[in-house]
Amino acid sequence: MTVKKYNNGFTVIVDTNNTIRSVTAGIMVGTGSSFETPTDNGISHFIEHMQFKGTNTRTSAQIVGAFDRAGAAYNAFTGKEYTCFYFKSIDEKVEHCFDLLSDLFLHAEYAEDELDRERKVIIEEINMSKDEPDGVCYDVLYKTAFSGSLGMEILGPKSNVERFTKKDILAYKAENYLPSNTVVAFVGNITEADAVALVEKYMRDLVNAPYKAPRILQPQKFNAAYGEYIHDYEQSEISVAFPALTFADERSSTLSALDCILGSGMSSRLFQRLREKMGLVYSVYSAPWFGRTNGMFAVNANVNVVNVEKSVSAIKAEIDSILKNGVTEEETEKAKMQLKVTSLFSKETPMNYMLALLRWRVMANLQYDIDELIARIESITSKDINALAHEVLSGQPAFAYAGKAPACRIDEVYNNSELTKR
């Protein structure tokens, strides 16, 4: 793997693999909803959509048509702290596809008719997002846990989407779409020299731009509070979340091991208790989220409203069991193997590997090194996991609920406080 960093901070990563005939390439910018204000919330996602809607040399139809004629897979996505545009093509079409990707990234026109058309599409996406309790609960959880920009929804409110203009887009891009905040990665059958040549040919505007420091995201206070969205869903979603580790914390692998033991996979404690033994849920899992300045460790369950109280109590009992009795050596070794296998499988999947290269560089300015990661995983002990479990799970959590009104609030059930019947 090679990394080329230009004087203005623009970075190119190349990992050559000449045993395959494909190339996966992506452009990631270190901005997302966490860098927005209430006034422009949703604009990162709006821009992601608009980048595909025509440039000064190609229409929207010509862009997607050219990708499709090359047989490429292509798309984009927006997160809380980064936005990514990518494609995967056969090696003989990589220049053709990178020309397209660079063009839509650098030269989008934001024509008025396209803006009006796409805002309708995004409003439909917002409407659809309210149809699934798990997605709604995710948004409620972050809004509850974080009062600042981390709590804002990625899609933003309809009122913002309805009024975004080209001027708004250009102003936001001028502040965030900077060379120092942008990373390009190639994985597959392409040499370093060829990859760099493509970047310098098709992204020369970014290569030659002056340096401007990227914005810094500030840590945000975690709120141990309760939030809910009452709606007549068939199933309900519950979340119990604790403040946890940031992306760059060296103990992130240890937290992932705890995740494997507590709630990731069919042999995890939560799955075995709530689904296999008690038959309360179809889906229950834990999940760490690692941000630049904040982190969170959440337990989530999809459950019928009549089983909400029992499910929350069972989650609390399993967390208490880990805090009281710890994890076993057998569980630790199993979790370590799961993490090793997942990491190695990811290395063998070009898209996943490319995204890991981009995320590590954008989020922490670090090089993703699979050998170093495996060594870190292998060094984890049950003592490490137990210590981190006490650090993370002993605090007061935030709670989120989406679904039909439960008999009692889930935070009251979890905390064994006096229940308020609805």
Side-chain angles (χ1 to χ4, degrees), residues 222 240-245 251 254-255 257-263 269-270 285-288 295-300 315-327 384-399 414-415:
F222 181 90
V240 181
F242 302 83
L245 308 180
R251 300 171 297 164
T254 305
L255 187 61
L258 174 62
D259 173 46
C260 289
I261 294 168
L262 182 61
R269 291 190 180 196
L270 287 169
Y285 62 96
S286 58
M296 190 157 61
F297 186 84
V299 174
N300 309 284
I315 289 169
K316 177 66 158 56
E318 205 55 67
I319 290 174
D320 286 347
S321 176
I322 280 187
L323 293 175
K324 180 180 178 181
N325 304 313
V327 303
D384 296 331
I385 298 174
N386 289 327
L388 188 56
H390 274 274
E391 179 181 332
V392 172
L393 301 178
S394 294
Q396 184 63 27
F399 302 88
Y414 188 92
N415 292 323

Side-chain angles (χ1 to χ4, degrees), residues 131-171:
D131 290 337
E132 297 294 335
D134 54 346
V136 171
C137 193
Y138 171 92
D139 287 334
V140 171
L141 175 63
Y142 277 84
K143 183 178 181 180
T144 301
F146 301 106
S147 302
S149 60
L150 282 174
M152 295 192 298
E153 296 182 17
I154 293 170
L155 301 184
K158 293 180 187 178
S159 57
N160 283 0
V161 174
E162 288 169 346
R163 62 171 174 73
F164 286 145
T165 65
K166 180 175 181 177
K167 182 179 178 181
D168 296 325
I169 291 173
L170 294 178

Side-chain angles (χ1 to χ4, degrees), residues 25-29 83-85 98 101-102 105 182-184 203 358:
I27 306 171
M28 184 173 283
V29 183
T83 306
C84 185
F85 306 83
F98 193 74
L101 192 71
S102 302
F105 183 79
T182 305
V183 181
V184 178
M203 302 191 78
L358 289 172

Side-chain angles (χ1 to χ4, degrees), residues 139-365:
D139 287 334
V140 171
L141 175 63
Y142 277 84
K143 183 178 181 180
T144 301
F146 301 106
S147 302
S149 60
L150 282 174
M152 295 192 298
E153 296 182 17
I154 293 170
L155 301 184
K158 293 180 187 178
S159 57
N160 283 0
V161 174
E162 288 169 346
R163 62 171 174 73
F164 286 145
T165 65
K166 180 175 181 177
K167 182 179 178 181
D168 296 325
I169 291 173
L170 294 178
Y172 186 82
K173 289 191 71 177
E175 195 171 2
N176 295 280
Y177 275 57
L178 310 173
S180 59
N181 206 25
T182 305
V183 181
V184 178
F186 296 84
V187 172
N189 192 25
I190 187 170
T191 66
E192 175 194 0
D194 287 344
V196 170
L198 288 178
V199 169
E200 295 185 351
K201 178 178 180 181
Y202 293 105
M203 302 191 78
R204 54 185 174 273
D205 292 349
L206 211 59
V207 170
N208 297 324
Y211 173 79
K212 182 179 179 182
R215 295 166 63 194
I216 303 298
L217 190 64
Q218 298 299 321
Q220 299 183 25
K221 180 180 178 293
F222 181 90
N223 303 310
Y226 172 78
E228 65 180 11
Y229 181 86
I230 303 302
H231 186 77
D232 191 24
Y233 295 122
E234 188 64 31
Q235 291 289 104
S236 298
E237 187 81 11
I238 58 180
S239 291
V240 181
F242 302 83
L245 308 180
T246 63
F247 189 92
D249 196 305
E250 292 187 353
R251 300 171 297 164
S252 58
S253 295
T254 305
L255 187 61
S256 294
L258 174 62
D259 173 46
C260 289
I261 294 168
L262 182 61
S264 180
M266 295 176 66
S267 67
S268 67
R269 291 190 180 196
L270 287 169
F271 192 94
Q272 286 296 308
R273 179 188 283 256
L274 275 78
R275 175 165 162 164
E276 299 298 281
K277 294 179 181 177
M278 301 179 71
L280 292 173
V281 302
Y282 177 77
S283 171
V284 60
Y285 62 96
S286 58
W289 170 73
F290 302 105
R292 294 186 215 197
T293 60
N294 290 81
M296 190 157 61
F297 186 84
V299 174
N300 309 284
N302 188 264
V303 58
N304 190 287
V305 67
V306 300
N307 290 325
V308 166
E309 289 181 61
K310 291 180 180 178
S311 298
V312 173
S313 296
I315 289 169
K316 177 66 158 56
E318 205 55 67
I319 290 174
D320 286 347
S321 176
I322 280 187
L323 293 175
K324 180 180 178 181
N325 304 313
V327 303
T328 66
E329 292 295 333
E330 181 181 355
E331 287 178 315
T332 299
E333 292 306 311
K334 182 178 69 175
K336 289 164 63 174
M337 181 56 69
Q338 287 177 302
L339 292 176
K340 286 170 62 176
V341 169
T342 299
S343 300
L344 291 170
F345 280 3
S346 178
K347 176 72 162 63
E348 295 175 359
T349 307
M351 181 63 71
N352 292 344
Y353 185 51
M354 185 269 295
L355 292 175
L357 293 173
L358 289 172
R359 279 195 298 267
W360 278 62
R361 184 62 59 171
V362 166
M363 296 287 287
N365 196 28

